[in-house]
Amino acid sequence: MSVPVRTITSFRTTFNPFSSISRPCRLFLNLIRQPSTISASSPNHIDIKVTQLPRNSTQLPEMTIGFKGGKEIQLDVGKREMKIGDVIEEVARVGRVIEREQTLKS
């Protein structure tokens, strides 16, 4: 399943890079950080903000993903013990709904 990069406008994440439960945050960040999403002049630009916690932090990782049209989802990756496949599936589901809404408006 692919990540609908065209529908994502912002990505915020907080995680401890040394924790194994933060793996989905790190991998999803790598998936969306592409040459087409980095440039501010690109139509697929994603505003990315990452907060890395100290090594001894006990705070659980979390992500907030903003989509076109103002929709935003917050994923408590640590609390829900999500894997990268779960994160991609959730984001793809919301992305497909937004793409469907855009095609119906056109």
Side-chain angles (χ1 to χ4, degrees):
M1 186 162 292
S2 65
V3 179
V5 177
R6 296 178 308 280
T7 60
I8 299 173
T9 58
S10 66
F11 177 71
R12 313 262 182 281
T13 185
T14 302
F15 64 90
N16 175 354
F18 300 102
S19 172
S20 62
I21 60 173
S22 298
R23 187 169 189 252
C25 295
R26 295 189 313 265
L27 293 175
F28 191 78
L29 178 62
N30 287 334
L31 285 173
I32 64 169
R33 191 177 278 169
Q34 304 169 357
S36 64
T37 62
I38 294 174
S39 173
S41 62
S42 170
N44 292 335
H45 173 71
I46 299 175
D47 182 29
I48 298 174
K49 295 219 182 340
V50 177
T51 305
Q52 291 187 356
L53 301 169
R55 182 184 288 260
N56 57 358
S57 174
T58 58
Q59 182 178 342
L60 295 174
E62 59 187 21
M63 293 186 224
T64 303
I65 302 148
F67 294 90
K68 291 182 179 177
K71 179 139 177 86
E72 194 172 89
I73 61 170
Q74 182 171 3
L75 299 174
D76 293 323
V77 177
K79 188 183 288 182
R80 293 173 54 188
E81 297 180 5
M82 297 178 83
K83 305 262 186 251
I84 185 63
D86 302 331
V87 172
I88 292 173
E89 183 178 321
E90 188 75 19
V91 172
R93 183 183 60 79
V94 174
R96 283 192 309 271
V97 169
I98 291 172
E99 285 177 342
R100 192 173 307 126
E101 288 173 356
Q102 288 177 350
T103 58
L104 291 175
K105 288 180 182 178
S106 301

